[in-house]
């Protein structure tokens, strides 16, 4: 049977709860999840992780290609919300992407991605995030890098000296209400961050062993929680999963707590998710830091995304000329003009000077991962100098923070 005949025998339809086992089997095969991975994540067996994924399948929009009733290719979209420059957007979180190798190169995933984008658009999810296992592949589908993951390693002798604060730290359960409250405040004031639902919190902890889930919470002098650190200690290393703080006092208080472990550890190592090197904040800045691309973003509907975008100011009208390889509704002209109240209007007619770019470049620029001037320098966008200066003025200059994983 040739490849055209194989495709003709396939059917695309929703993946339902009755397909849960097949859904997980495909994920395990594509991402090579081993029994040891499941055990390290705190699960007793494959059946337990399958049950844990049941709420995901119930809440997400999952589409798949089937050969008879056998699931052979799939994509899932989680309903999420994210903060984009202090405006909350509904976001389609793409995950569970995979195809069995014997069905590769049939164009199955391209069709699933287009249907997924169509569904996001219908639900008002004007932007999509995903974790890329293959950055070039997702770039070809319209996503682009929007955030970084930084890891660091600090010797015990390089830990900051304790500084006086008016608050204190308590060790609490990872899901304590004060932890959730601090994160909610943080997410609602931090560009890029996920506004976590219960489902998002479950995914955040999906592969973390329960023994590695302690929260150190900082309380100010009014006994208000203003920061926390998820951590565990193993083999004389203090591991930081994530540190969240609402002000510098909380940051100082949490590092005081970490430094208090000086006699117990040789190193502190951990992660941060913002393009802000930690070394500058330390007296001894000779520490090891590595930066890797983390998540990618894609504008789902250009017109609606721009209509809701919180521009920093108003400028002379101009228009984007966008090219999108999948979502044809994003191809063409999108003009921006502002009224006296600095409210933007987006239309499809050409007004002012053009800014020519693809959907990937528009996405990373509006997420402030890369600035307009830099993108013009590397030939990712084309426009005149005056309009380039306008782009620099209206797009907030704040890098995205995103620490979730789905």
């Amino acid at each position: 049977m040739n490849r055209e005949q194989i495709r003709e025998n396939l059917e695309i339809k929703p993946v339902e709860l009755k397909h849960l086992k097949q859904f997980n089997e495909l994920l395990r095969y594509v991402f090579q999840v081993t029994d040891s991975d499941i055990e390290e994540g705190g699960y007793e067996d494959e059946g337990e992780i399958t049950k844990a994924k049941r709420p995901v399948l119930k809440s997400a929009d999952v589409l798949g290609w089937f050969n008879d009733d056998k699931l052979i290719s799939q994509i899932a979209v989680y309903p999420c919300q994210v903060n984009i420059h202090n405006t909350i957007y509904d976001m389609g979180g793409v995950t569970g992407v995979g195809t069995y190798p014997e069905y590769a190169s049939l164009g199955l995933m391209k069709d699933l991605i287009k249907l997924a984008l169509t569904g996001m658009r219908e639900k008002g999810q004007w932007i999509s995030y995903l974790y890329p296992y293959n950055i070039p592949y997702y770039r070809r589908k319209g996503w682009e890098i929007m955030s970084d993951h930084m890891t660091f390693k600090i010797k015990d002798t390089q830990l900051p000296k304790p500084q006086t604060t008016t608050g204190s730290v308590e060790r609490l359960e990872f899901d304590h209400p004060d932890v959730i409250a601090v994160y909610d405040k943080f997410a609602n004031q931090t560009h890029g961050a996920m506004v976590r639902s219960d489902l998002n919190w479950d995914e955040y902890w999906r592969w973390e062993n329960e023994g590695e889930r302690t929260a150190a919470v900082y309380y100010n002098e009014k006994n208000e929680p203003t920061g926390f650190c998820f951590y565990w200690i193993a083999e004389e290393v203090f591991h930081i999963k994530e540190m969240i703080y609402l002000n510098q006092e909380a940051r100082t208080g949490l590092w005081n707590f970490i430094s208090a472990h000086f006699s117990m550890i040789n190193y502190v190592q951990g992660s941060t998710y913002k393009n802000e090197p930690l070394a500058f904040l330390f007296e001894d800045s000779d520490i090891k830091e590595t930066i890797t691309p983390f998540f990618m973003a894609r504008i789902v509907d250009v017109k609606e995304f721009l209509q809701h975008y919180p521009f920093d100011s108003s400028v002379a009208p101009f228009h984007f000329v966008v090219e999108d390889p999948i979502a044809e509704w994003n191809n063409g002209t999108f003009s921006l003009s502002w009224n006296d109240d600095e409210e933007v209007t987006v239309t499809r007619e050409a007004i002012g000077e053009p800014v020519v770019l693809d959907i990937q470049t528009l996405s990373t620029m509006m997420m402030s991962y890369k600035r307009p001037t830099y993108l013009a320098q590397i030939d990712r966008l084309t426009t005149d100098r005056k309009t380039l200066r306008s782009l620099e003025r209206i797009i907030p200059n704040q890098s995205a923070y995103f620490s979730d994983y789905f």
Side-chain angles (χ1 to χ4, degrees), residues 34-207:
T34 65
D35 290 339
S36 62
D37 292 329
I38 292 174
E39 184 178 342
E40 289 174 9
Y43 299 97
E44 292 184 2
D45 53 35
E46 184 178 357
E48 190 176 359
I49 185 66
T50 299
K51 285 182 181 178
K53 278 290 187 180
R54 180 181 293 271
V56 172
L57 203 57
K58 289 179 68 175
S59 301
D61 293 320
V62 189
L63 293 169
W65 280 100
F66 289 80
N67 188 348
D68 292 328
D69 201 39
K70 180 186 177 183
L71 178 63
I72 52 96
S73 182
Q74 66 188 24
I75 187 170
V77 179
Y78 288 3
C80 305
Q81 288 190 318
V82 292
N83 179 341
I84 297 180
H85 297 303
N86 296 320
T87 296
I88 304 301
Y89 278 74
D90 287 339
M91 182 270 284
V94 173
T95 186
V97 178
T99 303
Y100 282 118
E102 60 267 35
Y103 294 95
S105 303
L106 291 175
L108 304 184
M109 190 50 63
K110 182 177 180 179
D111 289 346
L112 287 178
I113 287 174
K114 184 170 183 177
L115 282 174
L117 290 170
T118 301
M120 289 183 233
R121 189 185 186 208
E122 291 172 351
K123 292 193 171 188
Q125 297 166 336
W126 310 133
I127 190 162
S128 171
Y129 287 10
L130 60 76
Y131 177 79
Y133 288 92
N134 185 323
I135 289 176
Y137 176 83
Y138 286 109
R139 276 181 166 155
R140 293 194 296 270
K141 299 298 184 282
W143 278 263
E144 187 51 274
I145 299 165
M146 53 78 68
S147 71
D148 290 328
H149 175 204
M150 180 182 294
T151 59
F152 57 85
K153 188 173 183 179
I154 307 166
K155 299 175 185 176
D156 56 353
T157 55
Q158 296 174 305
L159 286 168
K161 295 180 176 64
Q163 300 180 42
T164 301
T165 63
T166 56
S168 60
V169 172
E170 292 186 30
R171 289 183 294 115
L172 301 172
E173 295 294 323
F174 68 94
D175 56 355
H176 190 281
D178 287 349
V179 173
I180 307 300
V182 170
Y183 181 81
D184 286 345
K185 289 181 182 178
F186 174 82
N188 279 281
Q189 67 184 38
T190 303
H191 168 54
M194 176 93 83
V195 180
R196 290 180 189 149
S197 65
D198 290 343
L199 174 65
N200 301 140
W201 274 109
D202 288 343
E203 285 301 290
Y204 178 84
W205 291 112
R206 177 73 63 203
W207 296 103

Side-chain angles (χ1 to χ4, degrees), residues 82 84-85 87 89-90 125-129 191 297-311 330 344 346 359 362-363 365-367:
V82 292
I84 297 180
H85 297 303
T87 296
Y89 278 74
D90 287 339
Q125 297 166 336
W126 310 133
I127 190 162
S128 171
Y129 287 10
H191 168 54
R298 184 202 211 283
I299 295 173
V300 173
D301 188 301
V302 170
K303 186 175 187 296
E304 293 293 341
F305 180 86
L306 294 175
Q307 191 70 64
H308 292 82
Y309 190 83
F311 293 99
N330 288 332
V344 69
V346 182
I359 192 69
L362 181 63
S363 298
M365 181 173 70
M366 303 310 290
M367 290 299 295

Side-chain angles (χ1 to χ4, degrees), residues 106-345:
L106 291 175
L108 304 184
M109 190 50 63
K110 182 177 180 179
D111 289 346
L112 287 178
I113 287 174
K114 184 170 183 177
L115 282 174
L117 290 170
T118 301
M120 289 183 233
R121 189 185 186 208
E122 291 172 351
K123 292 193 171 188
Q125 297 166 336
W126 310 133
I127 190 162
S128 171
Y129 287 10
L130 60 76
Y131 177 79
Y133 288 92
N134 185 323
I135 289 176
Y137 176 83
Y138 286 109
R139 276 181 166 155
R140 293 194 296 270
K141 299 298 184 282
W143 278 263
E144 187 51 274
I145 299 165
M146 53 78 68
S147 71
D148 290 328
H149 175 204
M150 180 182 294
T151 59
F152 57 85
K153 188 173 183 179
I154 307 166
K155 299 175 185 176
D156 56 353
T157 55
Q158 296 174 305
L159 286 168
K161 295 180 176 64
Q163 300 180 42
T164 301
T165 63
T166 56
S168 60
V169 172
E170 292 186 30
R171 289 183 294 115
L172 301 172
E173 295 294 323
F174 68 94
D175 56 355
H176 190 281
D178 287 349
V179 173
I180 307 300
V182 170
Y183 181 81
D184 286 345
K185 289 181 182 178
F186 174 82
N188 279 281
Q189 67 184 38
T190 303
H191 168 54
M194 176 93 83
V195 180
R196 290 180 189 149
S197 65
D198 290 343
L199 174 65
N200 301 140
W201 274 109
D202 288 343
E203 285 301 290
Y204 178 84
W205 291 112
R206 177 73 63 203
W207 296 103
E208 300 290 340
N209 197 296
E210 290 186 10
E212 301 173 352
R213 300 185 184 186
T214 303
V217 181
Y218 181 81
Y219 292 86
N220 63 19
E221 61 181 340
K222 296 180 181 179
N223 203 37
E224 299 167 332
T226 56
F228 67 79
C229 172
F230 291 135
Y231 77 95
W232 74 96
I233 300 172
E235 298 180 355
E236 299 184 317
V237 177
F238 191 106
H239 298 267
I240 298 175
K241 176 174 172 60
E242 184 175 19
M243 183 185 291
I244 295 288
Y245 47 87
L246 304 181
N247 52 46
Q248 292 303 304
E249 176 195 334
R251 181 185 68 82
T252 300
L254 290 169
W255 276 106
N256 284 348
F257 172 78
I258 295 168
S259 295
H261 293 78
F262 175 84
S263 62
M264 299 169 53
I265 61 174
N266 293 325
Y267 293 96
V268 173
Q269 64 184 45
S271 301
T272 185
Y273 296 87
K274 195 170 184 178
N275 189 14
E276 181 182 58
L278 191 68
F280 186 76
L281 300 173
F282 283 15
E283 180 180 358
D284 185 348
S285 294
D286 186 18
I287 68 174
K288 181 180 180 180
E289 295 178 289
T290 61
I291 300 176
T292 56
F294 189 45
F295 257 67
M296 300 180 83
R298 184 202 211 283
I299 295 173
V300 173
D301 188 301
V302 170
K303 186 175 187 296
E304 293 293 341
F305 180 86
L306 294 175
Q307 191 70 64
H308 292 82
Y309 190 83
F311 293 99
D312 264 354
S313 63
S314 59
V315 294
F318 67 93
H319 64 278
F320 290 114
V321 181
V322 182
E323 181 181 355
D324 191 317
I326 303 289
E328 69 275 0
W329 56 84
N330 288 332
N331 285 312
T333 299
F334 299 87
S335 294
L336 284 73
S337 57
W338 286 261
N339 61 21
D340 292 340
D341 295 324
E342 295 194 345
E343 296 171 334
V344 69
T345 297

